[in-house]
Structure formats: structure tokens, C-alpha cells
Amino acid sequence: KRKGNLMRWEQTKDGKLIGHQHISCEGLSIWQTHASVGVHPPNSKARLFTGSQDGGGLCLDEGGSWLSKGGPDVGCGDVWAIAVAPSDPNRIYARGCGQEFGRTENAQSAASCADITWKVFNGDDKYFLAMPNFLSNGMIGIHPKNKNRVFFACSREIAYSADGGQSFSFHKLPNKKNPYCVYVTERAVYAAGERSGIYESTDNGKTWKKAGLNDNPPRAITNLLKTAYKGGTFYAATSEGLFRKYPNEKWIRITRKEVPVMDVVSNPLCPKFVWIGMGYDQHGTQKGEVLVSANHGDTWRTLYEEGTPISDLELAVGPKSPSLIISSYGHGVYTVPLTKDCN
């Protein structure tokens, strides 16, 4: 019997997890979580937001209960993607089952979850923001220095807004490939999806060029990541495992081909640490695991193994230490406090 859908551990310097603690699942009535993010308000250890199937969006101030008040509001019961603006943790975007999306301006500064306000945009379907064919937290990308520059992966194209979602322009990938995810750096935006490989644009999606895995691509690419290692190391989470690319080198697969990788995150304070969420695939899920690597993906060990597919991973960097947030499609949300020690 499950005691809670949120679990805490302490991590020792050698990577062991000790002192696990269950937090009550009161207020969260469904286990099929799709995406979760975290911020660190001044008066709280941590504040979590999660999106679920049929249960809507929920918010939790650590030590309290999950509340629908303050949770991501997207105008419908399913919340599929949530993203915090890197330049302002008060700004969060959320997308769900329709063409609407939600946005908040006080995710971190609000005194409590109940004081957070959300505004729903595109309720009149003015813009065609239909969901991609494959749903993941990667379908929202926010510029790292400008919270108003946001990209959405939609069913047939990439939507770009320069004004925080007030208006959009639309751009198709080459050969009209269906995008599943979008990733934004200071100088470029990257998009990938259904048998497309990865494409790069330096003009907000007006033009694209091939950026990798375009020949014989995986069926689905669901998330992308770039770290500072070696001046820019890329990772791609795909239906056929995790791929990595060092600067001036080719893309290589660094996990098993037969197990889908849904998401990949890294600690910006210690980029050698990389985590992947495995098992979730809308075409047929498999055993879920979270693996961690302490050498940029050369070797891996199991961090979490509950059996249910992992739908999303996020890293919340707080004033004391970062936390890994795990969303599982069946067992709810877990957090793992991480040490700042890179050794």
C-alpha cells in the first residue's frame, strides 16, 4: 500500500539514498502525472507544481498538501507540460489537452499555493496550438534570458511568441515533419519529433538546418538538452535510447536501443551528472527507471526503479541544494535532494 505520492531522500557523498520519508498524498487523487516543476519561495523549502491526466494541475508547498488552487490552469482537465522560465521563476507556462495554455507571474513570490494566480490564453482558439502527436514536457521551450520568448511544439509546426503568448508566428520543419519537442539556447532554437532528426534555427524558426540524427532517425525524439561540457555537449532522449554529441564529433547512442528514454536532465552546477527517465512511450510503455551518470553518460547506475514508466524529469535549483523531480505515469511525483558536491 502506498503511503504517499511524494517521497524524500537524503543523498550521501557516495551517492547512496538514506532517510526516505513519505509525504501524504492528500489532495492528489490520481497517480498518472505527466510533468512536474519546482521553485523555491523565500518562506518555503520547496514548492512543486504537477500536471496529471484528468486531475488537472496541482500545487504543493513542502510540508503541506497538494492543492488544485494555485496549480497549473490550462482550461481543461489534463496538464501535459509545465516549464519555468530560467530568467524568472515567477513565470511558468503550462499546456494541456486543448489549444489553450496557462501562464502565471507569481509562482515563486506568492505567499502560498493558494495565492498563485493563473491566466488562460487562447481560449478562443485564435491560434492553432494543437498538441503534438507525442506528448512530453519537451513541447515547451523558453529562452534562457527572456521569459517572453517562448516556443511551442504543435501538431504540425513550431509556434513562436516574442511577447509571452499574446501573439504567435508559425514555422514548419523541413519536409513538414511533425515536431514533438523544442529546446532553446541563447543563440538558437532546436526542434525534433516524428522520424525527423534534429533541426536548428537561428532566426526563431523561419529557416532550419539539419543538426543531427536526420539520416535513419529514431521514430520519436521527445527531449533535448545542452550542457556546458567541452563548450557544448548535446543529448537527445529518443524512442531508441539516449544519444550524445560532443562538439565536432558525431552523435552516438549511449544507452540500450530497445528501451525508450523520455527525458534527460543535467545539473548545471555539475554538468558531469546526467539523469535519464526511461520506459514511457505512447506506442507501448516498458519498465520505468531513472538512471544517473557521473561521467557525462559514459556509464550508468539505477537511481529509481518502481516499474512504472517515467514521464518527466526536472531539476529545481534552490538556495541550498538542487532537487531532482521525478514524474511517473502511475506512481505520482518523487523528489531527490542532491548534494552540491561535484566530487
Side-chain angles (χ1 to χ4, degrees):
K1 182 178 180 180
R2 303 226 163 255
K3 300 177 182 179
N5 70 323
L6 186 71
M7 183 180 287
R8 282 182 59 185
W9 294 273
E10 294 179 8
Q11 185 180 31
T12 62
K13 288 186 177 181
D14 60 358
K16 294 181 179 179
L17 300 178
I18 61 174
H20 73 275
Q21 175 187 355
H22 291 276
I23 298 177
S24 171
C25 60
E26 180 182 355
L28 182 57
S29 60
I30 194 158
W31 303 107
Q32 291 172 304
T33 54
H34 296 294
S36 303
V37 297
V39 296
H40 288 264
N43 62 346
S44 175
K45 293 181 180 179
R47 175 172 293 158
L48 299 179
F49 300 86
T50 191
S52 64
Q53 181 173 334
D54 299 326
L58 300 158
C59 179
L60 171 76
D61 283 319
E62 187 174 353
S65 299
W66 287 100
L67 301 174
S68 57
K69 177 69 174 176
D73 183 1
V74 296
C76 69
D78 297 344
V79 179
W80 291 91
I82 315 170
V84 180
S87 62
D88 182 2
N90 279 304
R91 170 72 65 83
I92 296 181
Y93 294 89
R95 298 179 67 192
C97 53
Q99 297 192 53
E100 305 94 337
F101 67 95
R103 197 186 82 186
T104 182
E105 304 294 341
N106 65 339
Q108 178 173 271
S109 62
S112 68
C113 284
D115 297 304
I116 297 171
T117 56
W118 287 82
K119 181 178 179 181
V120 176
F121 290 78
N122 203 44
D124 57 359
D125 293 343
K126 178 180 179 180
Y127 298 102
F128 187 73
L129 301 175
M131 296 295 101
N133 295 341
F134 193 109
L135 303 173
S136 78
N137 214 36
M139 60 188 185
I140 302 175
I142 309 170
H143 191 277
K145 296 294 181 68
N146 188 335
K147 64 183 180 181
N148 289 317
R149 293 181 58 189
V150 60
F151 295 80
F152 291 165
C154 298
S155 64
R156 295 193 291 270
E157 50 201 347
I158 298 294
Y160 167 60
S161 176
D163 54 15
Q166 301 285 348
S167 62
F168 286 89
S169 58
F170 295 85
H171 309 284
K172 295 185 182 298
L173 293 181
N175 300 320
K176 299 181 179 180
K177 296 292 187 179
N178 290 323
Y180 291 162
C181 65
V182 60
Y183 184 80
V184 188
T185 67
E186 288 189 42
R187 62 167 296 274
V189 56
Y190 298 85
E194 181 182 5
R195 301 191 185 279
S196 67
I198 304 165
Y199 288 91
E200 176 188 12
S201 174
T202 56
D203 55 10
N204 299 317
K206 294 179 182 178
T207 60
W208 300 91
K209 67 177 182 180
K210 293 181 178 181
L213 303 180
N214 303 97
D215 299 325
N216 192 27
R219 185 187 69 246
I221 299 176
T222 54
N223 272 288
L224 300 170
L225 171 70
K226 183 182 181 182
T227 72
Y229 183 57
K230 291 189 174 184
T233 295
F234 278 91
Y235 299 87
T238 85
S239 57
E240 298 175 14
L242 182 73
F243 289 78
R244 181 185 67 196
K245 182 186 182 302
Y246 289 144
N248 302 314
E249 296 184 20
K250 295 182 179 180
W251 286 88
I252 60 170
R253 183 186 288 109
I254 56 175
T255 64
R256 291 177 293 162
K257 179 179 180 179
E258 63 271 17
V259 180
V261 174
M262 184 65 174
D263 206 355
V264 53
V265 296
S266 178
N267 187 346
L269 304 175
C270 307
K272 70 178 183 179
F273 287 104
V274 181
W275 294 266
I276 56 174
M278 307 176 72
Y280 183 80
D281 185 338
Q282 289 177 234
H283 300 282
T285 56
Q286 299 186 30
K287 177 182 177 182
E289 293 181 273
V290 175
L291 303 186
V292 59
S293 172
N295 50 21
H296 310 281
D298 287 340
T299 59
W300 301 88
R301 66 178 178 85
T302 299
L303 175 64
Y304 167 94
E305 185 179 12
E306 279 285 333
T308 56
I310 305 302
S311 52
D312 176 53
L313 295 177
E314 295 295 331
L315 205 70
V317 179
K320 294 183 179 180
S321 64
S323 296
L324 179 68
I325 305 172
I326 304 169
S327 298
S328 66
Y329 194 72
H331 284 174
V333 186
Y334 297 80
T335 64
V336 182
L338 305 172
T339 176
K340 283 188 174 181
D341 188 354
C342 290
N343 301 316

